[in-house]
Amino acid sequence: MGSLSCSQVSSPSKSVQQQSFLHRRIVNPLVDLLRIGCTPRKLAWSIAIGFVIGINPLLGSTTLISLTVAALLRLNLVASQIATHLSYPLEIAFFFVFIRLGDKVFHTGRLPLHHRALISAARHHPIDTTRLLWTWEWHALVIWALVSIVVAPMVVLLLTPILNGLNERIQR
């Protein structure tokens, strides 16, 4: 009979910890929302809106925008915040994609992403640099809005059957 190695023993433990975290922070709150009467469709829209707001290229704005939009649309604030915060890594990844797509669509000219070029421009021409940065940002936001119009309904179409199934299991 062979003995278990450390890696064999620690793997299930890590898996249980990850599952526990995911269940505690994501699955359980969503299940609780379904239990208290949130419809799967409304929950799907709350998650979708939180997700698309979470990937917007205006860094540092997601929580406030998500809370505001969810409240205005009478969506579930908890579900939208969960999605917003889970999408944070994608916000960073897509930031440069939205900037570059905005440049391509609006012919803005490439954003000098090298920190020395930005610092030099800010020191020598602060007003012009600020204006240019806002132009790139504005164009990125337009691209993000167009993408969001397509992505949000797709997320809803994907999540609604999953949440309906989960809701049926809860009701049994």
Side-chain angles (χ1 to χ4, degrees), residues 39-165:
T39 66
R41 184 138 177 98
K42 187 170 188 174
L43 199 55
W45 273 107
S46 300
I47 293 167
I49 295 301
F51 173 76
V52 296
I53 289 172
I55 63 169
N56 88 70
L58 190 57
L59 300 177
S61 68
T62 56
T63 299
L64 183 60
I65 293 172
S66 180
L67 284 170
T68 303
V69 171
L72 289 172
L73 297 177
R74 298 185 189 274
L75 297 174
N76 187 279
L77 298 175
V78 173
S80 69
Q81 285 302 296
I82 288 171
T84 297
H85 291 284
L86 285 175
S87 61
Y88 179 70
L90 293 174
E91 178 185 28
I92 301 300
F94 286 140
F95 174 78
F96 298 105
V97 173
F98 289 132
I99 292 287
R100 289 201 174 107
L101 285 173
D103 165 42
K104 297 270 189 226
V105 171
F106 294 101
H107 308 289
T108 311
R110 288 198 67 172
L111 173 66
L113 294 177
H114 193 269
H115 71 279
R116 287 187 185 143
L118 286 173
I119 290 171
S120 175
R123 282 187 182 153
H124 294 87
H125 310 286
I127 294 172
D128 291 336
T129 302
T130 302
R131 190 175 298 127
L132 281 174
L133 288 173
W134 274 109
T135 301
W136 279 303
E137 185 68 38
W138 175 250
H139 292 162
L141 284 167
V142 170
I143 299 299
W144 163 79
L146 294 172
V147 167
S148 296
I149 290 169
V150 174
V151 170
M154 289 173 56
V155 170
V156 171
L157 287 173
L158 176 75
L159 286 179
T160 300
I162 294 168
L163 293 170
N164 277 329

Side-chain angles (χ1 to χ4, degrees), residues 3-14:
S3 63
L4 293 173
S5 71
C6 289
S7 64
Q8 290 171 320
V9 171
S10 65
S11 293
S13 152
K14 283 183 182 177

